[in-house]
């Protein structure tokens, strides 16, 4: 129900369907930006990408269900099927890869690159996960850095850990303030 909005592009069934005053938005795909009303400077490409966004602005979602539940979160970038799918109000996040940051709801300033990177993260903030399944089951642990496949994969609530190398700190769950560099370092 576009009323006074301008500079929008919608391609696909129900794309930008509820937009009223949101401006400078691009929606390509069935249901993309479906419920957006006033959010501005949004880009959604893929079926149901950013479909539940209402007032969030400056978001980019590429892939089926990317940023699907986002409502008011802003300045997020999601690239990949189900990337940041459950985000609602979290802002300033980057998720690249299938299921990257897909459980995130309110966490801010996270970076997840790789399939299932930071996949279980819900409210944690300021984490960086680069590599498939890096920080895989982290839910609320903050200030973590994991670089390499499966780095810090079992971490759930441990804070301020740095793991660089495949399988480094693989079994750490709640330990904090650790540094591990090298494949499988601090793994046992």
């Amino acid at each position: 129900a576009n009323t006074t909005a301008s500079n929008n592009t919608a391609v696909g069934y129900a794309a930008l369907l509820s937009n009223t005053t949101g401006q400078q938005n691009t929606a390509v795909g069935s249901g993309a930006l479906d419920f957006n009303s006033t959010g501005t400077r949004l880009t959604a490409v893929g079926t149901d990408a950013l479909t539940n966004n209402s007032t969030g602005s400056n978001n980019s979602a590429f892939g089926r269900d990317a940023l699907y539940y986002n409502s008011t979160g802003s300045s997020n970038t999601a690239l990949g099927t189900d990337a940041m799918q459950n985000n609602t109000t979290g802002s300033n996040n980057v998720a690249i890869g299938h299921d990257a940051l897909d459980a995130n709801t309110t966490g801010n300033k996270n970076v997840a690159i790789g399939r299932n990177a930071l996949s279980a993260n819900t409210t944690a903030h300021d984490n960086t996960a680069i590599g498939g399944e890096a920080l895989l089951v982290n839910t609320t642990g903050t200030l973590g850095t994991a670089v390499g496949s499966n780095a810090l994969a079992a971490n759930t609530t441990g804070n301020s850990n740095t793991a660089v190398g495949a399988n480094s700190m693989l079994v750490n769950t709640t330990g904090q303030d650790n540094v591990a560099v090298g494949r499988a370092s601090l793994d046992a």
Side-chain angles (χ1 to χ4, degrees):
N2 196 67
T3 55
T4 60
S6 57
N7 300 309
N8 292 298
T9 302
V11 178
Y13 175 75
L16 267 170
L17 180 68
S18 303
N19 196 67
T20 55
T21 60
Q23 299 186 44
Q24 300 172 347
N25 297 308
T26 302
V28 178
S30 177
L33 280 167
D34 187 4
F35 294 104
N36 187 69
S37 58
T38 61
T40 60
R41 294 175 304 281
L42 301 162
T43 302
V45 178
T47 300
D48 292 328
L50 266 167
T51 197
N52 287 296
N53 193 83
S54 58
T55 61
S57 295
N58 302 308
N59 292 307
S60 298
F62 300 88
R64 181 183 57 80
D65 294 338
L67 277 165
Y68 181 89
Y69 288 107
N70 191 78
S71 57
T72 61
S74 295
S75 300
N76 293 301
T77 300
L79 173 61
T81 299
D82 299 331
M84 286 188 67
Q85 180 180 25
N86 291 295
N87 192 75
T88 54
T89 61
S91 296
N92 302 303
N93 295 295
V94 175
I96 300 173
H98 186 275
D99 288 328
L101 263 172
D102 71 319
N104 193 74
T105 54
T106 61
N108 298 312
K109 299 179 188 171
N110 293 295
V111 175
I113 301 174
R115 180 178 174 90
N116 294 320
L118 268 168
S119 182
N121 193 81
T122 54
T123 61
H125 57 85
D126 296 293
N127 289 299
T128 302
I130 301 172
E133 300 187 349
L135 276 164
L136 175 67
V137 296
N138 189 76
T139 54
T140 60
T142 62
L143 302 168
T145 301
V147 179
S149 180
N150 294 312
L152 275 166
N155 192 81
T156 54
T157 60
N159 297 319
S160 302
N161 290 304
T162 300
V164 179
N167 298 322
S168 55
M169 291 186 65
L170 179 65
V171 296
N172 185 76
T173 56
T174 60
Q176 52 190 22
D177 299 312
N178 294 295
V179 175
V181 178
R183 184 176 67 82
S185 55
L186 281 175
D187 185 25

